[in-house]
Amino acid sequence: PSGWAFCMTFLSATWTLSGYDVAAHVAEETSHAAITVPRAMVWSTWSSAALGFIYLIALALCSTDIDALMANPLGQPIGTLTANILGTKAGVGLLAINFFAQFGCGVAFVSVSTI
């Protein structure tokens, strides 16, 4: 549905701007935390914002035919887009790396926040 699709558009930006939060959660386990944690938070925020901006702009520029992307029978336009740009094998490889990276970040975030 279009309402759900609208909510899902915020997901990339959320992953892009949530990197600083992990530094705050592991602050008590860091040596010289008064110096290194604020530095890590600032660096992660700026680097995530810059790299995420580049990633999102690249996705927007590569998405020239929206109707063809949405006609995917699986309903995953990002998979279709990466397959069109990189080829099927490289697209699946990139999405697998992305999946495992996001899964690892999610597991680390949940396990650190429950301690």
Side-chain angles (χ1 to χ4, degrees):
S2 59
W4 178 249
F6 176 75
C7 292
M8 292 300 288
T9 60
F10 296 112
L11 191 58
S12 293
T14 301
W15 279 104
T16 300
L17 296 174
S18 64
Y20 70 91
D21 191 46
V22 175
H25 284 294
V26 297
E28 69 269 2
E29 300 173 13
T30 306
S31 61
H32 307 292
I35 296 170
T36 57
V37 171
R39 187 178 294 159
M41 291 174 75
V42 169
W43 273 102
S44 66
T45 301
W46 284 109
S47 63
S48 294
L51 294 173
F53 182 75
I54 291 168
Y55 171 72
L56 295 174
I57 292 298
L59 283 179
L61 291 175
C62 292
S63 303
T64 55
D65 189 7
I66 301 297
D67 293 329
L69 291 175
M70 297 307 291
N72 182 7
L74 297 176
Q76 297 296 324
I78 296 295
T80 304
L81 184 63
T82 56
N84 289 345
I85 294 170
L86 300 173
T88 304
K89 289 182 181 180
V92 168
L94 180 67
L95 289 177
I97 292 169
N98 188 4
F99 170 77
F100 286 115
Q102 287 188 6
F103 182 76
C105 288
V107 167
F109 182 74
V110 170
S111 64
V112 167
S113 65
T114 59
I115 293 177

